[in-house]
Amino acid sequence: MLEVTNIDVFYGNIQALRRVSLHVNQGEIVALIGANGAGKSTLMKAMVGLLPKKSGSICLDGHPITPLPCSEIIRLGVAVVPEGRRLFAPLSVLDNLNLGAFLRITNGFKKEVQEDLKTMFQIFPRLEERKHQSAGTLSGGEQQMLAIARALMERPKVLLMDEPSIGLAPLIVKEIFEIIRRLKEEGNTFLLIEQNARMALKVSDRGYMMELGRIVLEDSSEALLKEESVQKSYLGA
Ligand code: ATP
């Protein structure tokens, strides 16, 4: 579904990504774990065309998306749930969801979008209760739910999620990861970027560990949870 091959990214003279390769198969949750500054967000930005790449390629469904602008990559089916949610705070929950489906509405799929809104409210009943409330007044957990639902309103082929657990209480984190697991069962595909390695590896099928701009480990999530270096660095063993 999504294949990244040998990506290098520089900020000025500083190399933030070094020959990074990874792939996400259809219907998988793939976790990308790593400490602060490892390069996880940089990789996500590079994937959606927000950073110039020095070399390497990124393909979606076998087609290169590397040279395309961000707007085109999103149109082709890559959705982003960014770190810090980035909602339209003064707008209502409903408006945020409709903005997620903006391209589909303008392309004449208004009826399908209405159906998808009903589905979102089934998955996230709290959003329906608060549909006329402005997004900026939601709790952190509700905002994360809205950010996920807004991305799903694009009907993406793959969702890139940057630190969905950040700043949330443990019980809410559990709830968010349970929702991600259910969404996978319904056929959604995720690349999950997380510092909360334990939760990310518990919910995902495979994982990659990143250090100083490089992928240093790649395996099934089950195997990574047992891996000594992962346990030492991320699981407090
Ligand atoms: P975190 O989990 O803290 O967000 P991360 O793994 O996502 O960390 P990145 O934000 O991708 O890491 O940063 C990777 C490296 O690139 C860091 O050394 C960071 O200082 C550097 N970097 C990120 N953005 C820029 C920028 N706009 N200009 C210069 N350097 C940057």
Side-chain angles (χ1 to χ4, degrees), residues 11-12 14 16-17 34-43 45 51 83 162-163 193 195 210:
Y11 293 112
I14 297 168
L17 296 184
N36 282 122
K40 307 179 299 297
S41 302
T42 298
L43 177 58
K45 285 177 195 155
L51 292 174
E83 187 176 347
D162 198 356
E163 308 268 7
I193 294 175
Q195 278 190 53
M210 200 168 194

Side-chain angles (χ1 to χ4, degrees), residues 13 17 35 46 70 83 101 105 116-117 127 134 162 169 186 192 211 236:
N13 291 329
L17 296 184
C70 181
E83 187 176 347
I105 292 171
D116 287 353
L117 264 180
L127 294 184
S134 59
D162 198 356
E186 285 164 21
L192 183 58
E211 270 174 16

Side-chain angles (χ1 to χ4, degrees), residues 5-141:
T5 313
N6 290 333
I7 287 287
D8 287 323
V9 169
F10 291 80
Y11 293 112
N13 291 329
I14 297 168
Q15 187 164 4
L17 296 184
R18 294 167 188 270
R19 298 189 77 75
V20 168
S21 298
L22 61 76
H23 66 277
V24 183
N25 297 318
Q26 181 158 17
E28 268 190 325
I29 302 180
V30 172
L32 176 65
I33 60 171
N36 282 122
K40 307 179 299 297
S41 302
T42 298
L43 177 58
M44 194 173 101
K45 285 177 195 155
M47 280 175 165
V48 292
L50 288 173
L51 292 174
K53 295 159 280 282
K54 281 278 179 202
S55 61
S57 73
I58 303 174
C59 290
L60 180 69
D61 276 341
H63 302 290
I65 55 170
T66 324
L68 301 177
C70 181
S71 55
E72 188 63 13
I73 294 172
I74 303 286
R75 200 187 62 75
L76 288 172
V78 180
V80 177
V81 182
E83 187 176 347
R85 292 51 130 173
R86 304 283 181 104
L87 297 168
F88 300 101
L91 301 187
S92 69
V93 166
L94 201 53
D95 286 343
N96 271 274
L97 291 173
N98 279 322
L99 280 167
F102 175 74
L103 283 172
R104 293 170 59 218
I105 292 171
T106 52
N107 286 333
F109 293 98
K110 219 170 168 182
K111 216 169 154 199
E112 285 90 337
V113 169
Q114 286 306 315
E115 288 303 311
D116 287 353
L117 264 180
K118 283 187 203 155
T119 309
M120 287 310 126
F121 289 148
Q122 277 163 10
I123 302 170
F124 303 100
R126 256 185 280 168
L127 294 184
E128 181 164 33
E129 287 162 22
R130 289 157 174 78
K131 65 183 170 190
H132 299 301
Q133 191 173 322
S134 59
T137 61
L138 296 174
S139 72

